[in-house]
Amino acid sequence: MAIEGTQEALSGAPGARELIYVTRGGAGRVLALGGLQQMGWNLRRAPDARSVLRILQRDTRQPHAALLDLREGFTQQDLAEFGGALSAANVGWVAGIDARQLDEEPVRKLIRDYCYDYLTLPCPEAVMNTVIGHAHGMASLACEGGDVTSEAGFDGMIGESGAMRTLCRTLRKAALTEAPVFIAGETGTGKELAAMAVHRHSRRHAHPFVAINCGAIPHSLIQSELFGYERGAFTGAQQRKLGRIEMANGGTLFLDEIGDLPLESQASLLRFLQQGSIERLGGHEQIPIDVRIISATHHDLDLAVADGRFRADLYHRLCVLRLQQPPLRERGSDIDRIAEYALQRYSQEGHRTLKGFAPCARQALHSHGWPGNVRELINRVRQAVVMAEGRLITAADLHIENALATPPPTLDEVRDAATRNAIEHSLHRNRGRLVDVARELGVSRVTLYRLMQRHGLRASDPESPNTISVA
């Protein structure tokens, strides 16, 4: 075997997974682990913390699994020196112990705080491969999470779900045009981030990106904020002030929460969009402005237009390209990606190094409804980083443990809900004509009757002499 410093490198096949075996055992106590090499592991042996850190620091983006053989040779002082290695983000630790060692509190604490699992040694290498493989997989997720923003679909936007892929494709296309863009979506979904991405990839990227939250400014001040004013225009106007529209000249103006813009200001904004020029409050000069408009709101603008709260002509000016920002609850595995990103970003704010999320936290992340969307998720993770007691963030740390009280639906429940929904919609489309409903759904009338009875649906077939009522 080739000796590499204090490490013993047992090279596996190219592309093999990295495994560090940490042991000080004497003859007869060191595991051979030849079978693991045949299973695709590149094995390195290290006797102390310094050796482990040298391996890990060669490439911090390379995930490793590490088996810490605790059966003999390590004192409490030796284990204390492993702090940096045990907390490294690119390694998943597994402890190897004697069964009797589980009675020792320091060993139990080490496993609980730092390790993904433990093995009672010796054990079959197939079992070892499974457990160590899981630890390696978790380290791989951590390595990916550390660079998640560079792997995101568009300009740092985190997400690989179908909804986010669609959004990113649309954002790329929108960036190549000069047409006004309207971004719809719930509060906290990242509408301003999407607007900034469009600006940075447009021909205007070298010019200003100016944002204004129309809902956060008092109605009495919104005109002066948008259009500026001349000195002496009103009491307190001591000098000329440029408005946000003029400040964005040549670049992009982002009108956030456009649905909260008062009607008076809507008329002024529409006039600017039609004429391409503004007039400061208290002034008489028409100032030509070249700016691209991106707007966004969490309100239903179609409903606002119907209710007379938003001008239809302004709506059509703003909504040339319409984008939909998906809510977090519909983004599946993106929830994990964003949570990992938040943990990496704020990990230094806590009083201890965190290894990741406990299983209960993962379940809670996907059970919670996320009314505040991405903003709420990031804030909860940031709070958990500071308040967590253990090495793993729990559902209690996230303050969403109550979400676990409602278990996820079973496959039968999902199937029943889909069946009921399909029948209800078909009955509506076919005005209760059961012959047409059965034909549309591809089932017999007998089967349709049975399904309607099972789901408590009522209907009548007005065109059939056999009018029924199913309850």
Side-chain angles (χ1 to χ4, degrees):
M1 296 182 182
I3 304 298
E4 191 175 340
T6 58
Q7 306 137 21
E8 190 174 78
L10 310 178
S11 299
R17 293 174 293 176
E18 297 292 328
L19 171 61
I20 305 171
Y21 177 37
V22 186
T23 179
R24 283 185 180 173
R29 297 286 281 181
V30 177
L31 302 174
L33 303 181
L36 289 180
Q37 290 179 265
Q38 297 176 4
M39 295 177 188
W41 290 97
N42 184 30
L43 179 63
R44 295 181 182 276
R45 199 168 75 192
D48 52 37
R50 184 177 301 177
S51 302
V52 175
L53 283 173
R54 274 203 295 266
I55 297 173
L56 296 176
Q57 290 171 356
R58 288 175 181 172
D59 185 358
T60 57
R61 294 169 55 88
Q62 174 69 46
H64 294 73
L67 175 62
L68 178 59
D69 193 338
L70 295 173
R71 292 177 295 169
E72 67 177 47
F74 288 101
T75 65
Q76 285 296 109
Q77 182 177 355
D78 293 331
L79 291 175
E81 295 176 359
F82 271 84
L86 290 168
S87 301
N90 61 328
V91 59
W93 286 91
V94 174
I97 61 171
D98 285 329
R100 56 182 172 78
Q101 288 182 286
L102 286 178
D103 296 330
E104 301 172 15
E105 177 56 27
V107 173
R108 292 201 304 271
K109 188 175 188 308
L110 175 72
I111 295 172
R112 181 176 64 247
D113 289 347
Y114 294 100
C115 299
Y116 287 104
D117 210 338
Y118 69 91
L119 294 165
T120 302
L121 300 178
C123 71
E125 287 187 325
V127 175
M128 196 177 299
N129 177 60
T130 299
V131 174
I132 294 175
H134 172 68
H136 185 276
M138 298 302 289
S140 299
L141 289 177
C143 290
E144 292 173 5
D147 196 37
V148 68
T149 54
S150 65
E151 296 177 355
F154 185 64
D155 201 61
M157 299 183 69
I158 302 171
E160 295 293 335
S161 63
M164 283 302 295
R165 288 179 182 274
T166 299
L167 175 65
C168 290
R169 285 195 299 269
T170 308
L171 289 173
R172 287 191 181 93
K173 294 177 182 178
L176 301 176
T177 74
E178 285 292 296
V181 175
F182 173 71
I183 305 173
E186 298 176 8
T187 299
T189 52
K191 296 186 289 294
E192 183 168 354
L193 181 63
M196 293 176 66
V198 171
H199 170 74
R200 282 195 290 261
H201 288 264
S202 72
R203 70 172 183 82
R204 298 175 178 268
H205 66 275
H207 298 280
F209 175 89
V210 178
I212 179 171
N213 189 328
C214 301
I217 300 175
H219 289 185
S220 59
L221 299 179
I222 190 69
Q223 287 284 99
S224 61
E225 283 294 324
L226 283 174
F227 300 100
Y229 54 80
E230 296 287 354
R231 179 181 178 182
F234 50 82
T235 303
Q238 301 296 327
Q239 58 185 3
R240 171 188 292 172
K241 176 183 177 181
L242 301 185
R244 303 294 180 92
I245 295 176
E246 193 171 353
M247 291 167 61
N249 193 19
T252 302
L253 175 67
F254 176 54
L255 299 170
D256 197 8
E257 298 303 344
I258 189 71
D260 293 323
L261 195 66
L263 285 171
E264 178 187 355
S265 298
Q266 290 178 32
S268 301
L269 179 61
L270 177 63
R271 190 179 307 114
F272 158 66
L273 294 176
Q274 292 172 336
Q275 298 177 354
S277 62
I278 65 166
E279 185 177 298
R280 302 189 193 105
L281 297 182
H284 304 285
E285 177 188 3
Q286 288 293 321
I287 305 169
I289 300 292
D290 172 28
V291 69
R292 184 187 191 177
I293 300 293
I294 301 178
S295 55
T297 187
H298 71 281
H299 294 297
D300 184 342
L301 273 197
D302 295 286
L303 181 60
V305 170
D307 292 343
R309 292 180 285 109
F310 200 86
R311 295 178 61 110
D313 43 8
L314 178 59
Y315 171 83
H316 293 300
R317 282 274 185 175
L318 295 174
C319 299
V320 178
L321 297 177
R322 185 184 180 104
L323 284 63
Q324 182 68 44
Q325 196 85 13
L328 182 60
R329 60 183 174 275
E330 297 179 3
R331 292 177 55 182
S333 61
D334 287 352
I335 295 174
D336 298 293
R337 286 178 168 269
I338 297 170
E340 292 288 353
Y341 162 77
L343 177 58
Q344 292 285 333
R345 179 176 179 180
Y346 298 110
S347 59
Q348 300 304 316
E349 294 186 0
H351 60 284
R352 63 176 63 194
T353 302
L354 297 171
K355 297 291 290 183
F357 296 89
C360 64
R362 296 281 185 188
Q363 184 179 349
L365 287 172
H366 288 274
S367 299
H368 189 55
W370 298 115
N373 291 288
V374 176
R375 185 182 296 121
E376 179 188 357
L377 171 56
I378 291 177
N379 288 343
R380 284 185 181 272
V381 173
R382 186 176 186 180
Q383 180 187 34
V385 166
V386 177
M387 303 304 296
E389 297 291 339
R391 294 290 179 177
L392 295 174
I393 291 176
T394 66
D397 296 328
L398 294 168
H399 295 286
I400 53 175
E401 64 271 19
N402 291 337
L404 301 181
T406 303
T410 64
L411 186 58
D412 285 340
E413 290 171 342
V414 173
R415 188 184 297 113
D416 287 345
T419 300
R420 179 186 177 91
N421 186 60
I423 295 174
E424 286 180 333
H425 282 78
S426 185
L427 284 168
H428 179 73
R429 285 192 298 269
N430 293 283
R431 297 185 178 182
R433 294 187 295 271
L434 299 184
V435 173
D436 294 338
V437 172
R439 184 184 300 114
E440 181 180 284
L441 297 178
V443 298
S444 67
R445 288 191 66 171
V446 174
T447 300
L448 178 60
Y449 299 156
R450 178 176 56 81
L451 290 173
M452 291 176 65
Q453 186 174 19
R454 174 179 175 181
H455 295 289
L457 296 173
R458 294 179 178 273
S460 61
D461 187 345
E463 299 185 1
S464 170
N466 299 319
T467 300
I468 66 166
S469 176
V470 181

